[in-house]
Structure formats: C-alpha cells, structure tokens
Amino acid sequence: MLYHGIIMVKIQIDLSEDEDRIVEVYKLTKKLKTKQEAIKEMILYFEVSIKPTKVKEKDYFST
C-alpha cells in the first residue's frame, strides 16, 4: 500500500503467549484500541542504521 509517498507493509506475526501479554498490557496502559496500534507505537522506540560490513565505507559511499 502507498499513502502519501510512504510504503505501508502488512505483516502477520506469531507471538508467544508472553509476547502477546506484553503487547496487550502496553495497549491497555496507553489506552489504544488495537494490538496493531500498540505494536506500531512500540516500534517507534527503535532506530535502524544500515551499514555495509563487507565493503569499505569509502568504496560504498563513493560515486
């Protein structure tokens, strides 16, 4: 799906019973309506940085 230039990806995940409880508690404490909203909020606590490991940085970023 594409919304305003942002690619939206739908995924289905299998949660263990403990993981499901964690998401449920987060959902309830933040007064969210769905577990999907809870997971989306929880993800915002992380930041991703992708960096090549087998290519020298100067080679990777050169044009």
Side-chain angles (χ1 to χ4, degrees):
M1 294 198 272
L2 183 62
Y3 296 101
H4 303 287
I6 298 172
I7 296 173
M8 303 289 288
V9 178
K10 284 194 170 209
I11 63 169
Q12 180 177 341
I13 57 172
D14 294 321
L15 298 175
S16 70
E17 194 173 318
D18 288 341
E19 292 166 336
D20 185 60
R21 275 191 235 137
I22 290 168
V23 173
E24 183 66 27
V25 168
Y26 186 90
K27 180 186 89 155
L28 294 171
T29 58
K30 298 293 185 173
K31 297 182 172 124
L32 301 171
K33 293 180 181 175
T34 66
K35 286 183 182 177
Q36 178 179 326
E37 290 176 349
I39 291 170
K40 287 171 80 173
E41 264 196 32
M42 293 169 84
I43 290 171
L44 294 177
Y45 285 103
F46 297 91
E47 183 178 297
V48 175
S49 176
I50 299 173
K51 182 175 142 183
T53 58
K54 297 186 179 191
V55 179
K56 293 180 182 173
E57 192 169 323
K58 70 179 187 104
D59 295 335
Y60 183 75
F61 293 106
S62 67
T63 55

